[in-house]
Amino acid sequence: QVQLVESGGGLVQAGGSLRLSCAASGIIFSNYVMGWHRQAPGKQRSMVATITSDGSTNYADSVKGRFTISRDNADNTVTLQMNSLKPEDTAVYYCNADLTTRWTSSRSWGQGTQVTVSS
């Protein structure tokens, strides 16, 4: 059973930084593409960043140059370093783990962590 536990959210002023972490258990971590999504009030959940097992990354245009995703396959953790935060980054941030095989695909979610950026 996949378990994803996020930590590191909080309140920060615009221009500040936060570091989110996600600890995964119950999976063969290196088989999964890991990522972060976010959901602001009244909006759909959207992709923030993803990282493959070999370290290839993808970012939403709105966070390119400000956020960095990384993973530690030995520690089963994925991290999102968020710099130059803006009020529009305020959202609940969710860690996700994606597995794709020849026969099926699945996505698991963490419980989410709140990030609030004040102006």
Side-chain angles (χ1 to χ4, degrees), residues 24-51:
S25 60
I27 60 174
I28 301 174
F29 188 73
S30 58
N31 288 349
Y32 284 72
V33 174
M34 300 300 296
W36 292 91
H37 283 61
R38 67 186 180 188
Q39 187 168 19
K43 295 190 176 181
Q44 287 192 327
R45 194 174 297 189
S46 62
M47 187 275 290
V48 176
T50 64
I51 185 167

Side-chain angles (χ1 to χ4, degrees), residues 29-113:
F29 188 73
S30 58
N31 288 349
Y32 284 72
V33 174
M34 300 300 296
W36 292 91
H37 283 61
R38 67 186 180 188
Q39 187 168 19
K43 295 190 176 181
Q44 287 192 327
R45 194 174 297 189
S46 62
M47 187 275 290
V48 176
T50 64
I51 185 167
T52 64
S53 180
D54 63 1
S56 297
T57 58
N58 186 39
Y59 296 93
D61 287 343
S62 58
V63 307
K64 279 180 183 175
R66 301 188 297 122
F67 291 11
T68 302
I69 189 171
S70 60
R71 66 188 289 163
D72 185 334
N73 288 336
D75 235 6
N76 288 10
T77 56
V78 59
T79 299
L80 186 69
Q81 177 66 43
M82 306 186 293
N83 299 328
S84 302
L85 283 161
K86 305 175 181 179
E88 51 264 43
D89 294 318
T90 295
V92 177
Y93 283 70
Y94 297 90
C95 175
N96 66 279
D98 293 351
L99 178 66
T100 300
T101 69
R102 180 191 294 182
W103 305 277
T104 188
S105 62
S106 66
R107 170 169 285 174
S108 300
W109 297 99
Q111 83 284 357
T113 186

Side-chain angles (χ1 to χ4, degrees), residues 13-25:
Q13 286 191 328
S17 299
L18 280 176
R19 186 178 179 90
L20 305 183
S21 292
C22 173
S25 60

